[in-house]
Amino acid sequence: MHQDDNDFDFTKQAADYLRKAGEREGLSSGIRSSHAHALVAAALGYGSRKAMLDDPEGPYLKDQWLSREAGDIQKVKEAIERMQKAPVQPDQAEMIARIIQDGLSPGCVECGEHSSCSSPLGYVQPGDEADWVCPRCASDDEQYGHCRCCGDDVLYRLEELDDQGLCPDHHGEFDLDPEEEADWESYIEYVQKDN
């Protein structure tokens, strides 16, 4: 997958995605590359792509988690207002920010779809590299599931979960040690004796 290339840039991916997906969603078919890059930078809170690239504390362009940082609708509106012959209107800023968030997301490992609602696989923290799965593919309960201990916020491939629905980190979580097992057997015997 091209996302592993050393020169991969999620902001370029988002600009390309905005140009293609924007047309499908009813935005102008003439969003030029420079306008798309300016809108992506704005969604990340910058006045221009150059300002974003020059910021030493700015976004790491290879970061799979950039979609979580995007969404500055006001900056997108401002960027549109500054554009000469803007191909989009300020009242479309919210839609544009949403499309950019999707475009900044890694493609689903199953279908390739970009969605800011995609989930990383496994217990990972922001900044960690991960495979991502879109909501539609994640709903396939024959392929994906959740660990009973990690909860619904962490998605796993089913083969990573044991027969009790536990991930490798929680495997054996509900197993009883010999002393606990003896206590339970004694309790069950006591309860059954009175009935």
Side-chain angles (χ1 to χ4, degrees):
M1 187 190 270
H2 65 101
Q3 291 178 1
D4 295 330
D5 293 347
N6 289 334
D7 61 347
F8 190 78
D9 177 347
F10 278 97
T11 64
K12 181 181 179 329
Q13 172 184 279
D16 293 343
Y17 186 82
L18 174 61
R19 295 179 74 200
K20 290 176 189 154
E23 188 172 342
R24 284 192 310 266
E25 297 215 18
L27 295 176
S28 169
S29 61
I31 299 177
R32 294 191 333 247
S33 180
S34 59
H35 286 152
H37 281 283
L39 292 167
V40 170
L44 288 164
Y46 292 92
S48 69
R49 179 164 174 81
K50 181 170 180 1
M52 178 183 71
L53 295 174
D54 289 347
D55 182 357
E57 301 295 318
Y60 179 57
L61 304 182
K62 295 178 181 71
D63 186 354
Q64 295 182 335
W65 299 80
L66 272 180
S67 68
R68 305 298 203 264
E69 297 175 27
D72 192 326
I73 296 168
Q74 184 57 41
K75 286 278 191 193
V76 171
K77 282 182 187 176
E78 292 169 10
I80 293 168
E81 290 166 355
R82 284 193 309 271
M83 287 180 184
Q84 300 218 353
K85 297 181 184 175
V88 291
Q89 301 302 313
D91 65 345
Q92 297 172 315
E94 189 172 341
M95 179 193 310
I96 291 167
R98 181 185 46 77
I99 293 170
I100 289 169
Q101 282 183 303
D102 289 343
L104 286 169
S105 303
C108 173
V109 296
E110 296 292 335
C111 68
E113 179 181 331
H114 294 273
S115 171
S116 60
C117 297
S118 290
S119 300
L121 285 176
Y123 189 79
V124 293
Q125 298 295 318
D128 292 347
E129 293 288 320
D131 285 335
W132 294 71
V133 180
C134 73
R136 185 173 40 85
C137 292
S139 68
D140 181 353
D141 58 5
E142 292 183 17
Q143 295 289 324
Y144 298 99
H146 302 278
C147 169
R148 291 172 50 197
C149 291
C150 294
D152 291 341
D153 293 335
V154 184
L155 185 67
Y156 291 93
R157 288 184 174 91
L158 276 188
E159 66 255 16
E160 295 178 273
L161 301 175
D162 66 15
D163 58 350
Q164 294 182 341
L166 299 172
C167 70
D169 289 340
H170 292 110
H171 178 73
E173 189 79 23
F174 301 113
D175 294 348
L176 301 175
D177 65 34
E179 188 176 316
E180 291 172 322
E181 195 169 341
D183 287 347
W184 273 108
E185 287 173 5
S186 175
Y187 175 74
I188 291 168
E189 184 180 315
Y190 172 77
V191 170
Q192 290 177 343
K193 180 177 89 175
D194 289 342
N195 288 335

